[in-house]
């Protein structure tokens, strides 16, 4: 039985980790850290957890806590872990970080896009980017997983095979993403109030969103040359779900079959990737509550562009589900263990 | 391994049965009947089920189908089963009916409130009202379970202990219920269009809703005398969830402690009933996707009324989850088998 | 041209006042007070107002500001006006208060239910309860209007004729109300975040909601004896709208016709009250953006109860619209002036 | 007083025309045609209109009806007007068509994208494309206005100045649009049910949406050469609102100032166009209920692309509001007459 601790358990991603781990057959939650709710029962903060997890939240002495668990999940604000993590902690427990602190290989890119100093740049090279389907082997070897975010998981997985196989001109990539509101977290800001989000739709972070360099780094690895792209997120009046609509010009002679083959080759045998029949548009709700990524595409002969659509549940495959999948890899379990949730509809 | 068939699999309740049964450790779906979608893959109708249930839907020759399964679930319009069911079918397979056809013991009450003739009144006495927590022993003995509806499950479970223990004047009961829209089913009516329901709230079926006599019959059994009450359902712009707010005058001397004790005694050891701390108001979302019923109450000393609030997921404990719970009872399995879903929040 | 000032202009009710007054043919907004946004353009806070109201918000020196306007609207937290208002201010400008500070005639009731000391109890008797349809003549004579809240306007107007005409037993009144989320205001609390409200429904303030004594006081006036009742508000995932479902036992011999006649007599000629055909259930959306109150009812012969349903837009007839209606009365204008908004659907 | 008739009055666009015309100071609704609801009171179909428009709907003998009005609005399915319209009708009444029947100058393009035969191709050249801000002078001269749709109005107005001034490479244009559900109309289809749309997001009509050639034709006129582009609509869980996010590569040396100047020059003095401060992202809700188009943009120096964001209310500037604006032009009234609605927030 893997013993797990969760830091930042009362945010939406942390709470989703609780939901998944509490039914994981081979893992057990040892403690829940929430600086805002120390001493309060978890189920008094998340009423859905009554009779399931009634333990109190505790404070965040990472070093001490690391002694009691096999794996620590950190669902914490940017900068927290880079300030707190040490080799000593890593020697005691494996760490799966849901923040962006170790996702970018170049600390200067991190500091530029996030506007904060990185507290432990020397640990970046220890980290493996935890997009399981693409970096499974490296993940198996590490003690520090940089769990990707929701937008990035959906964007990278949607485009990776096309870039890898050289089917598109990567300099033409435009990613237009739509996200449910849980991606904004549980902090109380006017912008996230029900009345501000409901019956409303807007773009934000246009050309400056922090997930951009993460997508660019991963697609650059696939391409073998530096990729620069546009990424535009939008806030949608729904709780969960990411839909990515990506556009790129296809190279001469690329056909529907070539594109389909690229996806099939790349994701063959992947339990959490569903390739939709040609022309079928994914719906975010088809993945709700599950660890699936759904991918569909259309090739527009008129404009010589492929339109790729990817969708997932931002709190599952886009956060906590992928973190559990990473845990499964780290501890040599079946990758789907505890993750066989059937999407809930409606 | 129990072999199950589902008739009406492409309605919302039927599809929820599919979601639950497909992960049930001791049951297997043998066939899915959908008269509207014969020959079409289930996952082409419910995209969330891609790679999970890709089998085709078939037609509804109940007699023949009954030979191949242990249990038939019917999630069909009112009147369908009463016209189709025979003793022969019942001898081959146990039947769990999610419609109202066998919920009322008095066929004349059925025909009056539903406005249709009952096709097999002689089978009514074979049926057991499938509110598991209240009729577990009788369910175990039957082959025909009349699975209660969402409003009724929530209303009856919220009020039953108070009526049973004589703590309230049952003639003063008023039930004001709020329901998500999936309760209206998947048929295409203008009234259920997104733009008609969203940003809107209304009562309907005021004083005439068909669930009224079902609630009255069950509470009358608890009371030992005939109970007549008001039941007013409201349509709420959400997919899932039932919230019942029930009012009744308490008898002289009844205290908060007496009420709490009645609930605790009645639901002691029940895995799917959660009694909230005094004064806590249940939120429908706390039960989403799960088989829980949450119950809370307030005693208003000024008016001598108790306000009881119950909530559940109308498609789970209010339909498919309870049906699976009934199957578990019918086949002597642990009642929670396949039903340990953790509520999803947000 | 009436010169108007708005204190608390950047709350939802304040902003709705801006929306209505900016198109009022006989009124002009002189200044907008918002303590949180002093020096910021109103349209930078409410983007919908770009090119319409771009003036800056200012601070709240009420005494000085009173010199420059004919009427002050205060859409401020409870206690603000009772601490700030003076006879001097009232001598300079008429005041329409959207808070509860002057709604209750008995200061001890106010202090008990609101839990704060009243800052100017001597002014309470100067105030008139601004439910226009019921207190029009008194409003005309005052300089201080206590503008009723959303729940109270809807509840009182739905029940007043029945109580006044003695058609119901007022001791049996139960009011179950459903409200959109804008009623909770624009302050940033976790409870009002999109993800907490969306796909969710709950009661709150059960037996303790502050609007209760206000409803009781007005209905007691109508009845001629003290009325005590239950009022239970619920939070609904929509921006606007109040639906009240009220229950009461009718007195012997009361018929549908008698009830209809009572409503027609009471609201004859009222431009903002719409009596629905018998049995029609009001929908909150039918009033959205308008100053209408819609009222329908059903008489249940089985239980001898009448179920009255009232609906309105909580920010219009439930707040800003009624405030403008009060202004129209105070300054001898046609009552519908600036209020002929057609409800927006969908 | 202009006498107006509305054909297709009970669809969402038709009902919005009713909402606007009923308060128009210089127009009067003479009759409402609705083939589905002949003989039924309009307010029995749209409850929001009770006491406002209680007249019955009538059938559609266009020729006869044309004699009684000055202008006919047709909010009808594709193909209806092209089959019904004659020069005789046009000689009696001016016609503003909200369908696509006369929007495309080339009948073969129409027949290809819409898949139906055009019933009166000889009338196409009589029609003027009714995007008021761009074709005002031509509109003044015609009797047949082809009122643009919601996606097209928003897309064309967002991009027109950039194309016209040669600031972008028009062959790189990608339009990613998000729409509220009222754009899908009031017909009862499973896809538009509340439970299918709520908590969900999807693209549709990818590379094949019928609005594509309309956008291309208008931008080609602006460019002076044929423009081919990608247009991808998405369905969003909200009632109203269109958000267009458009991407294009800017030509060498194009600056933020050059882009701003192009917009300002093009839309100088336009009452219904609001140019947002640089970097401000429009929100659909800022335009709700009003005839505004809001436009903002960001220039991404990294990718040399401009991201233009436009938003409007699909039923107002995207349908009925623009139709009224066209009527105002046709009859030499102030263009804003009856259209001074302040956007409703929240």
């Amino acid at each position: 039985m893997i013993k797990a601790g969760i830091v930042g358990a009362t945010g939406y991603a942390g709470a989703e980790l609780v939901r998944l781990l509490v039914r994981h057959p081979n893992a057990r939650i040892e403690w829940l850290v929430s600086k805002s709710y120390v001493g309060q029962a978890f189920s008094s903060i998340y009423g859905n957890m009554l009779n399931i997890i009634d333990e109190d939240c505790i404070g965040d002495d990472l070093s001490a806590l690391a002694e009691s668990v096999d794996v620590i999940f950190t669902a914490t604000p940017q900068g927290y872990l880079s300030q707190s993590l040490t080799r000593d902690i890593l020697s005691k427990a494996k760490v799966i970080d849901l923040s962006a602190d170790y996702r970018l290989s170049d600390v200067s890119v991190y500091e530029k896009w996030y506007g904060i100093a990185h507290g432990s740049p020397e640990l970046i090279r220890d980290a493996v980017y935890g997009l399981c389907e693409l970096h499974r082997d490296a993940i198996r070897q590490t003690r520090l997983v940089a769990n990707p975010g929701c937008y990035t998981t959906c964007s990278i997985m949607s485009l990776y095979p096309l870039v890898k196989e050289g089917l598109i001109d990567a300099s033409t990539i435009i990613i237009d993403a739509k996200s449910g509101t849980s991606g904004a977290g549980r902090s109380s800001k006017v912008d996230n109030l029900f009345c501000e989000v409901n019956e409303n739709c807007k773009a934000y972070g246009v050309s400056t969103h922090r997930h951009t360099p993460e997508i660019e780094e991963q697609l650059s690895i696939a391409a073998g040359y530096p990729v620069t792209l546009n990424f535009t997120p939008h806030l949608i009046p729904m709780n969960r779900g990411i839909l990515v609509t990506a556009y790129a010009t296809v190279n001469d002679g690329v056909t529907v079959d070539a594109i389909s083959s690229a996806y099939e080759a790349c994701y063959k045998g992947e339990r959490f990737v569903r390739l939709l029949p040609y022309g079928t548009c994914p719906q975010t709700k088809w993945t709700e509550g599950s660890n699936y990524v759904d991918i569909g595409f259309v090739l527009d002969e008129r404009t010589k562009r492929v339109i790729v659509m990817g969708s997932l549940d931002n709190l599952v495959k886009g956060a906590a589900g992928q973190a559990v999948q990473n845990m499964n890899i780290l501890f040599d379990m079946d990758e789907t263990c505890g993750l066989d949730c059937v999407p809930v509809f409606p």
Side-chain angles (χ1 to χ4, degrees), chain A:
Chain A
M1 208 67 166
I2 307 297
K3 289 176 282 180
I6 302 173
V7 186
T10 54
Y12 288 140
E16 189 74 354
L17 269 168
V18 174
R19 176 175 81 89
L20 294 171
L21 289 175
V22 82
R23 286 291 178 266
H24 195 289
N26 305 327
R28 190 178 68 220
I29 299 172
E30 285 293 302
W31 41 256
L32 302 170
V33 165
S34 171
K35 292 166 83 167
S36 320
Y37 297 102
V38 171
Q40 297 183 43
F42 187 74
S43 60
S44 72
I45 298 150
Y46 281 90
N48 57 316
M49 287 298 182
L50 186 71
N51 292 6
I52 302 171
I53 293 277
D54 294 314
E55 283 74 13
D56 284 357
C57 298
I58 60 173
D60 71 329
D61 181 349
L62 268 199
S63 266
L65 289 167
E67 317 237 6
S68 59
V69 295
D70 303 301
V71 61
I72 297 173
F73 294 90
T74 46
T76 42
Q78 314 308 335
Y80 171 86
L81 191 62
S82 86
Q83 300 293 337
S84 315
L85 190 61
T86 62
R87 289 213 187 277
D88 179 58
I89 293 171
L90 271 180
S91 74
K92 297 175 189 160
K94 297 179 183 179
V95 173
I96 299 173
D97 178 29
L98 282 75
S99 88
D101 282 5
Y102 300 96
R103 291 182 195 157
L104 296 166
S105 61
D106 182 342
V107 69
S108 70
V109 174
Y110 175 89
E111 297 189 336
K112 179 180 159 204
W113 286 80
Y114 285 86
I116 50 175
H118 196 288
S120 51
E122 73 283 2
L123 294 178
I124 292 178
R125 71 169 54 182
D126 290 38
V128 171
Y129 191 74
L131 221 169
C132 311
E133 283 76 7
L134 306 184
H135 302 294
R136 185 173 282 128
D137 293 337
I139 294 165
R140 214 168 262 132
Q141 313 299 325
T142 191
R143 297 185 66 81
L144 174 55
V145 176
N147 201 65
C150 47
Y151 282 131
T152 42
T153 297
C154 199
S155 300
I156 296 164
M157 294 189 71
S158 296
L159 289 164
Y160 185 91
L162 302 185
V163 173
K164 182 78 176 173
E165 298 303 320
L167 301 179
I168 58 172
D169 174 358
S171 74
T172 64
I173 293 175
I174 289 170
I175 300 170
D176 190 285
K178 296 88 182 164
S179 174
T181 305
S182 58
R186 210 193 195 197
S187 62
S188 48
K189 294 177 190 157
V190 166
D191 279 359
N192 297 336
L193 291 177
F194 181 83
C195 290
E196 307 285 318
V197 174
N198 187 43
E199 281 293 292
N200 202 357
C201 181
K202 65 173 178 185
Y204 64 98
V206 180
S207 85
T208 61
H209 193 276
R210 296 161 165 194
H211 282 178
T212 311
E214 194 177 327
I215 302 169
E216 289 178 343
E217 176 168 339
Q218 295 297 314
L219 292 184
S220 296
I221 294 169
Y225 55 87
V227 173
T228 307
L229 52 76
N230 274 105
F231 169 71
T232 313
H234 296 77
L235 191 66
I236 303 294
M238 56 187 190
N239 286 353
R240 289 172 179 244
I242 293 270
L243 181 71
V244 154
T245 314
Y247 303 85
T249 301
V250 294
N251 291 328
D252 283 350
V254 168
T255 62
V256 167
D257 280 352
I259 296 174
S260 291
S261 299
Y263 281 109
E264 281 157 19
C266 185
Y267 295 126
K268 187 181 158 84
E270 292 295 349
R271 281 284 303 277
F272 296 125
V273 183
R274 299 193 293 194
L275 303 176
L276 306 188
Y278 178 73
T280 299
C281 298
Q283 304 190 13
T284 57
K285 205 161 192 23
W286 290 349
T287 65
E288 191 173 317
S290 83
N291 203 45
Y292 285 114
V293 184
D294 286 358
I295 302 175
F297 75 93
V298 168
L299 180 61
D300 186 353
E301 299 287 357
R302 295 168 70 246
T303 61
K304 306 295 177 203
R305 291 195 190 101
V306 61
I307 300 102
V308 184
M309 296 158 284
S311 81
L312 51 73
D313 183 324
N314 58 301
L315 292 177
V316 190
K317 183 63 178 170
Q322 184 146 258
V324 171
Q325 192 180 351
N326 274 309
M327 180 189 78
N328 291 345
I329 297 174
L330 285 180
F331 293 92
D332 266 328
M333 293 181 274
D334 182 300
E335 218 165 289
T336 65
C337 203
L339 290 174
D340 61 348
C341 319
V342 179
V344 178
F345 189 101

